[in-house]
Amino acid sequence: VLLIVAGLLVRAAHHALYTDPGFGYERLISIDGQLRQHGYNASRAIAYLDQMQARLRALPGVRSVSLTLLPPLGHAVSYADAVIDRHHVRVYPNWIAPDFFATMQIPILLGRTFYPNEKNAVIVSRSFASSQWPGQNPLGKLVGDGNPKDVIVGVVADAHINALNDDDALEEYWMATREQMTGMVVIARTQAESLPTAAKAISESLD
């Protein structure tokens, strides 16, 4: 597997001169094994990612590890245009693992993070909740067009995960599905500068 390790400290710090990204970018790296491009199916991807996360967590100085489909300030941006309160806005979705908010240092303001393998649940940013239900408790509200609809289980602080030009910070998060595992990126927060080298060694030992 070709491993791409992206250190976010310098890149995000440069942009932070103009925009607060809303997450802790220092000592945060993203690790993209590009599993789909290397022919991994969901089962192989899950096994690889589980081992990668477990071995990263065992390294000295590693504070938190998680998964995301769209890594912070990554090469891919996902959005959907919507009408909220009669205003045309751009909503930024992401698909994550339960430890994502802890790893990214994004506070949970109401409710909780996801349970493992949870379905039909969504977590929204504070700006999204206040624009949709001003003055109301958004927990338990139903959103989306699916059947059944998604239930809001948490509200998190505003962040600019996909793009710093997301001025409204309208973000939605879903629990990543099994089928998405081949596209997931590992994110890790560390106190050790040697983590990229260690991550590369772990990946090479796995594949």
Side-chain angles (χ1 to χ4, degrees):
V1 169
L2 171 66
L3 182 72
I4 297 176
V5 180
L8 300 181
L9 175 59
V10 175
R11 180 173 55 181
H14 173 74
H15 288 289
L17 295 174
Y18 308 98
T19 304
D20 179 5
F23 60 87
Y25 54 81
E26 294 182 328
R27 303 294 184 184
L28 179 72
I29 69 168
S30 59
I31 306 162
D32 185 359
Q34 298 188 325
L35 303 181
R36 182 183 296 115
Q37 290 89 323
H38 289 85
Y40 273 58
N41 59 23
S43 296
R44 287 187 65 201
I46 290 171
Y48 175 93
L49 293 169
D50 284 350
Q51 293 180 71
M52 185 76 179
Q53 291 182 89
R55 292 179 64 173
L56 284 172
R57 290 188 178 104
L59 292 176
V62 173
R63 299 174 58 187
S64 183
V65 180
S66 191
L67 300 173
T68 178
L69 187 64
L70 297 168
L73 306 183
H75 61 277
V77 176
S78 178
Y79 62 84
D81 292 322
V83 178
I84 298 178
D85 193 22
R86 294 177 292 181
H87 295 288
H88 290 273
V89 297
R90 181 158 286 179
V91 179
Y92 289 80
N94 203 352
W95 292 264
I96 62 173
D99 292 336
F100 175 81
F101 300 112
T103 304
M104 294 293 297
Q105 294 182 343
I106 300 174
I108 297 176
L109 306 177
L110 290 173
R112 57 173 175 82
T113 189
F114 296 113
Y115 298 132
N117 303 315
E118 187 170 17
K119 297 180 179 180
N120 299 115
V122 62
I123 295 171
V124 300
S125 66
R126 173 170 46 194
S127 289
F128 186 98
S130 61
S131 65
Q132 284 280 58
W133 305 280
Q136 301 180 48
N137 184 350
L139 297 182
K141 299 288 188 182
L142 302 179
V143 297
D145 301 321
N147 185 19
K149 292 187 174 183
D150 296 323
V151 179
I152 294 179
V153 299
V155 177
V156 296
D158 293 344
H160 304 276
I161 301 299
N162 282 321
L164 288 176
N165 62 358
D166 170 20
D167 296 331
D168 296 318
L170 300 178
E171 295 176 327
E172 294 180 284
Y173 304 89
W174 286 271
M175 182 70 189
T177 66
R178 176 182 175 85
E179 291 72 24
Q180 291 173 319
M181 289 297 113
T182 58
M184 298 302 281
V185 175
V186 180
I187 54 173
R189 181 167 299 282
T190 179
Q191 295 176 322
E193 294 182 0
S194 60
L195 183 57
T197 301
K200 183 175 184 295
I202 291 172
S203 180
E204 289 175 345
S205 71
L206 294 176
D207 187 339

